[in-house]
């Protein structure tokens, strides 16, 4: 096939369907990245680009609020302190963990986080009775990891570089168990993703080292800790610390958001934090100390103990806006991973297949595999170009030509000498000879005696487009390919076949559904998550949301009561659906908003001791007595004005427990409820919705003038928490349990329906459908959707994060 025909968007879409984030990507670029017009930016592994809305919202934030030094105690300082703490929680939430398991220590970047571990780890030299500490690291590691040995060696630890192949090749069949005799501490460091080639190393190595099954832990006594260098990985891929509980995880935020620079974090597992010992102590890190005596007691809080001086709090506040922008534009890391991998894979397939007119390949690709799977390969492509005689073209020449085309790439060894040596076949002696020949890291001396000293790297970010790939490939074709341009069709077909085999039915791919568009069928997938903060009011859709003992956090935590304290629902007041509450976790606020009304803020947590007007009161939900707390006059006035009757907003008292009436079969413990009617969750299946839609269409009476309801309208009427895709209509009725992500649910029965599903959740109007079609289909049994409850271990209070796009495991009773 002609090379130019392969460089088309139609070809790309045939090879990879996961492109963009629902909204037209070019519209996103025009709105958020218009400064990149005319630039093809392909150096996202070095730093990604920030969206304009991030800095605009950040500037508005710091322009409207006074943020004081968090070490003081006046109001502006408390605002800073609270905001910083919310950002810490947001970071942990992003990596699917909690403050009970991990702590966030802010640093100036990933390098500073690595240095902190090197300085604080309890290295011990070898003695007569105990072996010395080992500092082990992958040879495919960033300079900042290898550089830790400068500190570790000075304290008697032995540096042990390990090739990626050795880890499993020299592993034991079984875990060795905890060593109770030898307590020498060892540290194993490896990257989740190589910054050189984009290769993703197994996250299972974390447990493999900790349990001493993998090499070198299996051959050395002592206690093994794992540092997972996540800086490259987290820029385009999700990281779940529930699945890989590394002890230390350094990150840099500019690689994720583009802004702020100069800020990173060391995420520390709380169980491992106690081994880190500091010598220097700065402001804010001491519980007590004396200036006239060698007396110092460190702060109890892990973060406080290691953050010397005042943290860069304005930069930390910017991180919050980074998360907001990332989620708003893309919908989450699973989307980003699929989008960026698709671009990298397409570029790899063409670049590795294009040939000179004489049939010789144009590129030497440096990769372990063939971009078969996003679980083993990131959005990085490393290569050197070759002339028609098979000789390497120096990377500096490629870089200079790319600059003329305004294409921004990275060249050299990328601060990863080990990977560079491995892929380019450069020996230790050659590295030393190259230095004598005048080559140093970061210079433009690309060939020594005809052999390359480095390579070219292109890398993609969440705002990268197909046009970026197209311009890059056309640049290579125009500048470095001897005409006519040819394509190795045999290789290309093999690559296409390998990927089709991987992704035609690959259920390991995290599927993300955006704006109701389903990418592919097959496995059951959680497509949407909705919470209803205020009972009977509008839905608030979320992508990733914490799950607790009452269900989705803040779902039906509030309700509206009339002047007599009676709960209002859409049966009595349909206009409730026009109230659109949103939960804003970073600010700890509930937003009350509706058309024609000013938005007001209500605290997520009421402090009854501080606010005496927040009175405790009694109410009823589905016949159950509930103890509630009034949310104050501002909210009451707002609701009364909108609904045209005296109303108040109340929330369930945090000290009150309401148990589910009927314990589901298989539930291990008593199930506690919020202000929901029957159970913690309501789940519906898109297949069931679509069947009811077809019935409505066949029953539609034109004389009634009813408009056919679209899928989203019908979904909204059923007011479910969880919407799934896959399988047959009403198949969910026969499930005893299911697992979504890491959370297990028990099916607690079917949901009986009433006239409330006739309320249009967008307008407040009422129709006979879908109740009539549902009743006809089910022979008068008006049920739709199933109730679910958490299946929590005894005493557990948090089950983690539920994410849209997660695959679902279940089985049918049939």
């Amino acid at each position: 096939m002609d090379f130019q025909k392969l460089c088309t968007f139609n070809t790309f879409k045939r090879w990879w369907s996961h492109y963009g984030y629902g909204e037209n990507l070019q519209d996103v670029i025009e709105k958020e990245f218009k400064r990149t017009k005319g630039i093809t930016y392909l150096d996202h592994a070095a730093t990604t680009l920030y969206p304009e809305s991030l800095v605009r919202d950040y500037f508005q934030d710091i322009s409207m609020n006074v943020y004081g030094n968090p070490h003081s105690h006046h109001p502006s300082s408390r605002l800073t302190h609270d905001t910083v703490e919310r950002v810490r929680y947001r970071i942990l939430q992003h990596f699917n963990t909690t403050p009970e398991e991990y702590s966030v220590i802010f640093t100036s970047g990933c390098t500073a986080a690595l240095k902190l571990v090197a300085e604080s780890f309890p290295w011990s030299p070898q003695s007569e009775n105990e072996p010395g500490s080992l500092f082990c690291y992958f040879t495919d590691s960033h300079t900042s990891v290898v550089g830790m040995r400068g500190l570790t060696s000075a304290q008697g630890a032995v540096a042990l570089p390990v090739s990626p192949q050795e880890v499993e090749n020299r592993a034991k069949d079984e875990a060795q168990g905890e060593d109770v005799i030898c307590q020498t501490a060892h540290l194993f460091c490896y990257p989740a993703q190589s910054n050189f080639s984009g290769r993703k190393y197994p996250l299972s190595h974390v447990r493999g080292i900790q349990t001493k099954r993998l090499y070198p832990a299996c051959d050395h006594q002592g206690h093994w800790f794992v540092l997972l260098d996540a800086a490259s990985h987290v820029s385009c891929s999700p990281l779940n610390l529930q699945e890989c509980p590394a002890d230390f995880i350094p990150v840099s935020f500019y690689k994720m958001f583009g802004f702020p620079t100069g800020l990173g974090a060391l995420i520390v597992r709380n169980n491992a934090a106690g081994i880190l010992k500091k010598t220097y102590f700065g402001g804010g890190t001491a519980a007590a100390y004396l200036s006239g005596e060698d007396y110092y007691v460190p702060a109890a809080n892990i973060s406080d103990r290691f953050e010397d001086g005042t943290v860069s709090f304005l930069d930390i506040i910017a991180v919050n806006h980074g998360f907001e922008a990332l989620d708003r534009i893309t919908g989450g890391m699973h989307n980003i991973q699929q989008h960026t991998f698709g671009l990298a894979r397409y570029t790899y397939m063409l670049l590795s297949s294009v040939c000179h007119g004489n049939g010789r390949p144009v590129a030497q690709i440096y990769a372990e595999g063939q971009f078969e799977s996003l679980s083993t390969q990131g959005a990085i492509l490393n290569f050197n170009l070759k002339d028609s005689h098979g000789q390497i073209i120096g990377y500096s020449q490629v870089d200079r030509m790319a600059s003329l085309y305004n294409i921004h790439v990275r060249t050299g060894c990328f601060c990863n000498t080990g990977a560079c040596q491995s892929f380019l076949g450069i020996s230790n002696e050659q590295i030393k000879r190259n230095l004598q020949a005048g080559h140093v890291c970061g210079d433009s001396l690309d060939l020594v005696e005809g052999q390359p000293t480095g390579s070219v790297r292109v890398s993609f970010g969440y705002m990268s487009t197909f046009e970026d790939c197209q311009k890059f490939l056309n640049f290579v074709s125009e500048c470095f390919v001897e005409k006519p341009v040819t394509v190795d069709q045999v290789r290309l077909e093999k690559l296409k076949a390998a990927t089709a085999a991987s992704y035609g039915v690959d259920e390991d791919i995290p599927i993300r559904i955006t704006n109701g568009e389903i990418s592919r069928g097959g496995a059951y997938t959680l497509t949407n998550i909705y919470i209803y903060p205020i009972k009977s009011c509008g839905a608030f859709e979320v992508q990733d949301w914490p799950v607790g003992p009452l269900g989705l956090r803040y779902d039906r935590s509030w309700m509206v009561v009339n002047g007599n304290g009676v709960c209002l629902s859409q049966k009595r007041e349909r206009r409730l659906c026009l109230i659109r509450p949103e939960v804003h976790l970073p600010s700890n606020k509930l937003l009350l908003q509706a058309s024609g009304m000013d938005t007001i803020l209500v605290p997520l947590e009421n402090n009854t001791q501080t606010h005496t007007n927040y009175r405790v009161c009694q109410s009823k939900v589905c016949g159950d007595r509930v103890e509630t707390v009034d949310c104050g006059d501002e909210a009451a006035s707002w609701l009364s004005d909108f609904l045209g009757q005296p109303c108040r907003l109340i929330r369930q008292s945090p000290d009150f427990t309401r148990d589910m009436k009927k314990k589901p079969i298989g539930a291990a413990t008593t199930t506690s409820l919020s202000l929901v009617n029957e159970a913690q969750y309501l789940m519906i299946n898109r297949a069931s919705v679509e069947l009811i839609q077809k019935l409505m269409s066949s029953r539609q009476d034109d004389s009634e003038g009813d408009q056919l309801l679209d899928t989203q309208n019908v979904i909204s009427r059923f007011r479910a928490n969880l919407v799934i895709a896959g399988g047959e209509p009403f198949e969910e009725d026969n499930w005893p349990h299911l697992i979504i992500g890491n959370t297990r649910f028990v099916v607690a029965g079917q949901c009986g329906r009433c006239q409330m599903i006739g309320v249009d959740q967008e307008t407040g109007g009422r129709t006979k459908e879908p109740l009539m079609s549902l009743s006809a289909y089910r022979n008068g049994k008006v049920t739709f959707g199933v109730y679910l409850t958490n299946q929590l271990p005894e005493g557990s209070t948090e089950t983690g994060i539920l994410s849209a796009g997660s695959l679902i495991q279940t089985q049918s009773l049939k």
Side-chain angles (χ1 to χ4, degrees):
M1 182 181 288
D2 180 77
F3 179 73
Q4 290 304 320
K5 289 182 179 178
L6 292 172
C7 289
T8 63
F9 188 62
N10 285 338
T11 300
F12 170 81
K13 287 293 285 181
R14 284 201 305 272
W15 294 355
W16 189 256
S17 60
H18 306 289
Y19 181 77
Y21 311 102
E23 184 181 355
N24 185 295
L25 189 55
Q26 286 304 130
D27 292 342
V28 173
I29 301 302
E30 179 62 30
K31 184 164 54 178
E32 297 282 7
F33 302 98
K34 54 179 176 285
R35 66 188 185 280
T36 63
K37 186 176 182 179
I39 296 173
T40 303
Y41 185 82
L42 294 172
D43 192 23
H44 293 272
T47 182
T48 195
L49 304 176
Y50 56 82
E52 292 179 20
S53 60
L54 189 164
V55 290
R56 184 172 58 248
D57 293 347
Y58 170 61
F59 179 74
Q60 183 178 17
D61 185 347
I62 62 174
S63 298
M64 295 177 62
N65 292 293
V66 177
Y67 290 108
N69 189 312
H71 289 168
S72 300
H73 297 285
H74 48 71
S76 60
S77 297
R78 294 305 306 172
L79 176 62
T80 303
H81 175 272
D82 293 346
T83 306
V84 168
E85 293 309 303
R86 293 301 303 173
V87 175
R88 291 190 209 272
Y89 177 79
R90 188 75 181 268
I91 293 166
L92 296 177
Q93 183 184 37
H94 183 77
F95 296 120
N96 195 24
T97 188
T98 65
E100 286 70 41
E101 296 173 286
Y102 282 89
S103 295
V104 175
I105 300 169
F106 288 112
T107 65
S108 63
C110 183
T111 296
L114 292 165
K115 187 181 178 187
L116 189 156
V117 174
E119 291 174 334
S120 307
F121 196 82
W123 309 107
S124 58
Q126 183 175 352
S127 67
E128 292 183 6
N129 301 320
E130 294 280 342
S133 294
L134 291 176
F135 167 56
C136 304
Y137 55 89
F138 265 17
T139 50
D140 183 359
S141 285
H142 194 278
T143 302
S144 297
V145 172
V146 180
M148 294 169 69
R149 72 184 181 202
L151 289 167
T152 65
S153 298
Q155 298 184 55
V158 174
L160 178 61
V162 178
S163 71
Q165 296 77 22
E166 286 181 284
V167 173
E168 292 189 347
N169 291 347
R170 299 174 63 176
K172 304 291 187 187
D173 292 334
E174 296 180 356
Q176 303 300 295
E178 188 169 350
D179 196 328
V180 295
I181 300 174
C182 177
Q183 290 300 306
T184 299
H186 309 290
L187 183 65
F188 180 85
C189 306
Y190 81 104
Q193 174 179 292
S194 170
N195 74 306
F196 184 95
S197 66
R199 177 184 180 184
K200 290 182 178 179
Y201 290 104
L203 297 176
S204 59
H205 282 358
V206 171
R207 292 190 189 274
I209 292 292
Q210 289 170 337
T211 59
K212 301 202 292 185
R213 184 183 65 81
L214 298 178
Y215 177 82
C218 62
D219 284 357
H220 297 274
Q221 293 181 329
H223 192 171
W224 283 86
F225 296 87
V226 177
L227 184 151
L228 182 70
D229 180 4
S232 178
H233 179 92
V234 299
S235 61
C236 290
S237 301
L239 178 64
N240 185 347
L241 293 180
Q242 296 293 329
E243 296 177 356
C244 59
D247 299 292
F248 312 106
I249 306 100
V251 295
S252 285
F253 295 111
Y254 70 92
K255 292 185 182 290
M256 298 171 65
F257 311 126
F259 180 86
T261 58
L263 184 71
L266 178 66
I267 303 172
V268 183
R269 195 158 65 97
N270 293 339
N271 289 344
I275 69 162
L276 300 180
K277 305 298 180 184
K278 290 179 61 183
T279 51
Y280 174 81
F281 60 94
T285 65
Y289 78 95
L290 294 174
S291 61
E293 182 182 324
D294 187 10
Y295 176 79
Y296 162 71
V297 178
N301 180 276
I302 295 168
S303 302
D304 291 344
R305 196 185 314 159
F306 288 94
E307 290 171 350
D308 290 308
T310 300
V311 293
S312 186
F313 55 87
L314 292 181
D315 287 333
I316 294 170
I317 292 167
V319 168
N320 191 51
H321 294 282
F323 280 117
E324 291 288 336
L326 199 71
D327 290 344
R328 181 178 63 251
I329 295 170
T330 70
M333 296 306 300
H334 291 291
N335 281 351
I336 294 172
Q337 179 174 234
Q338 296 203 85
H339 173 78
T340 54
F341 174 75
L343 296 174
R345 169 184 166 274
Y346 169 80
T347 307
Y348 165 80
M349 291 175 69
L350 284 190
L351 188 62
S352 63
S353 301
V354 68
C355 299
H356 294 283
N358 63 4
R360 288 182 178 269
V362 169
Q364 172 70 54
I365 309 290
Y366 303 119
E368 287 295 330
Q370 296 184 330
F371 282 66
E372 302 97 333
S373 171
L374 49 69
S375 64
T376 57
Q377 178 65 46
I380 293 174
L381 178 60
N382 199 309
F383 61 92
N384 268 318
L385 297 179
K386 300 196 289 189
D387 62 23
S388 59
H389 303 290
Q391 299 299 306
I392 296 290
I393 300 170
Y395 61 73
S396 293
Q397 183 179 344
V398 178
D399 195 14
R400 285 193 295 269
M401 290 299 295
S403 295
L404 293 176
Y405 281 71
N406 221 355
I407 297 173
H408 301 188
V409 299
R410 179 77 176 265
T411 59
C413 269
F414 323 105
C415 296
N416 191 331
T417 300
C420 189
Q421 285 186 259
S422 176
F423 281 110
L424 275 63
I426 305 174
S427 67
N428 292 350
E429 289 304 315
Q430 282 178 291
I431 291 285
K432 297 172 184 176
R433 287 201 300 270
N434 290 348
L435 178 63
Q436 293 172 351
H439 171 61
V440 296
C441 291
D443 68 12
S444 58
L445 185 56
D446 49 19
L447 296 171
V448 175
E449 298 178 354
Q451 298 302 309
T453 61
S455 56
V456 183
R457 183 184 74 185
V458 298
S459 51
F460 299 90
Y462 72 81
M463 72 297 296
S464 296
T465 64
F466 167 77
E467 287 72 23
D468 293 331
C469 302
Q470 187 179 50
K471 289 175 182 177
F472 168 73
L473 291 166
N474 285 332
F475 154 71
V476 172
S477 172
E478 290 175 25
C479 297
F480 296 101
V481 182
E482 185 179 274
K483 309 305 183 283
V485 181
T486 61
V487 176
D488 185 340
Q489 291 290 349
V490 174
R491 174 177 173 78
L492 188 59
E493 289 304 318
K494 286 182 178 179
L495 291 173
K496 287 162 61 178
T499 309
S502 295
Y503 289 105
V505 292
D506 186 353
E507 294 188 4
D508 289 330
I509 308 172
I511 303 300
R512 180 69 76 157
I513 311 299
T514 304
N515 295 332
E517 294 298 318
I518 305 172
S519 300
R520 64 167 178 83
Y524 302 112
T525 310
L526 177 63
T527 65
N528 306 85
I529 303 173
Y530 298 100
I531 66 167
Y532 303 83
I534 304 177
K535 187 177 177 66
S536 269
C537 291
F540 174 41
E541 183 171 10
V542 296
Q543 293 293 330
D544 303 281
W545 201 253
V547 174
L550 302 184
L552 291 166
R553 194 174 182 193
Y554 298 119
D555 181 52
R556 276 96 168 184
S557 290
W558 294 262
M559 65 181 181
V560 180
V561 295
N562 65 13
N564 295 319
V566 177
C567 175
L568 287 181
S569 72
Q570 290 183 28
K571 294 178 186 177
R572 293 191 178 97
E573 178 53 80
R574 298 201 304 271
R575 281 172 53 82
L576 283 169
C577 71
L578 304 180
I579 298 172
R580 309 291 182 188
E582 291 188 10
V583 174
H584 192 246
L585 292 176
S587 64
N588 203 33
K589 300 293 184 184
L590 172 71
L591 282 65
L592 283 186
Q593 45 198 4
S595 178
M597 301 288 290
D598 292 335
T599 299
I600 67 168
L601 305 179
V602 177
L604 291 182
E605 307 295 343
N606 288 341
N607 187 331
T608 55
Q609 292 180 342
T610 304
H611 303 282
T612 54
N613 60 325
Y614 288 178
R615 62 184 183 276
V616 176
C617 46
Q618 303 284 329
S619 190
K620 281 195 172 184
V621 172
C622 289
D624 293 340
R625 182 190 65 82
V626 292
E627 188 174 285
T628 59
V629 180
D630 189 277
C631 294
D633 293 337
E634 184 184 16
S637 176
W638 190 95
L639 289 167
S640 301
D641 289 346
F642 182 74
L643 296 175
Q645 61 172 303
C647 299
R648 298 200 72 84
L649 181 68
I650 61 176
R651 69 162 298 164
Q652 186 170 352
S653 173
D655 301 324
F656 178 78
T657 300
R658 174 185 170 221
D659 294 334
M660 188 172 175
K661 293 178 181 177
K662 184 178 179 181
K663 182 179 177 181
I665 298 173
T669 60
T670 301
T671 300
S672 297
L673 302 179
S674 61
L675 300 177
V676 296
N677 285 353
E678 302 285 345
Q680 293 174 335
Y681 306 84
L682 175 60
M683 183 185 77
I684 63 173
N685 189 350
R686 283 178 177 271
S688 306
V689 172
E690 289 163 2
L691 176 61
I692 294 300
Q693 257 190 304
K694 290 178 182 177
L695 289 171
M696 288 163 54
S697 178
S698 66
R699 290 170 50 85
Q700 187 176 28
D701 183 356
D702 293 334
S703 65
E704 287 186 7
D706 287 344
Q707 213 172 5
L708 187 63
L709 307 179
D710 61 34
T711 303
Q712 191 55 45
N713 187 294
V714 177
I715 287 174
S716 69
R717 289 169 180 247
F718 286 119
R719 294 178 61 82
N721 295 112
L722 310 177
V723 183
I724 66 170
E728 299 298 321
F730 297 102
E731 182 180 356
E732 63 276 11
D733 290 354
N734 299 305
W735 293 349
H737 64 262
L738 62 153
I739 300 172
I740 306 177
N742 295 320
T743 307
R744 183 180 178 90
F745 300 90
V746 175
V747 177
Q750 299 176 23
C751 177
R753 295 299 184 167
C754 63
Q755 70 269 26
M756 210 169 113
I757 62 174
V759 178
D760 188 319
Q761 298 297 301
E762 291 299 318
T763 66
R766 177 177 285 168
T767 62
K768 296 177 181 177
E769 294 290 7
L771 188 64
M772 298 295 292
S773 293
L774 180 62
S775 177
Y777 175 74
R778 310 211 77 170
N779 297 318
K781 179 187 176 186
V782 192
T783 61
F784 192 94
V786 293
Y787 288 125
L788 307 177
T789 65
N790 292 335
Q791 190 167 24
L792 293 176
E794 189 73 42
S796 176
T797 59
E798 194 81 18
T799 64
I801 305 295
L802 207 58
S803 297
S806 298
L807 293 180
I808 298 171
Q809 303 174 48
T810 187
Q811 65 183 43
S812 176
L813 288 172
K814 289 186 176 180

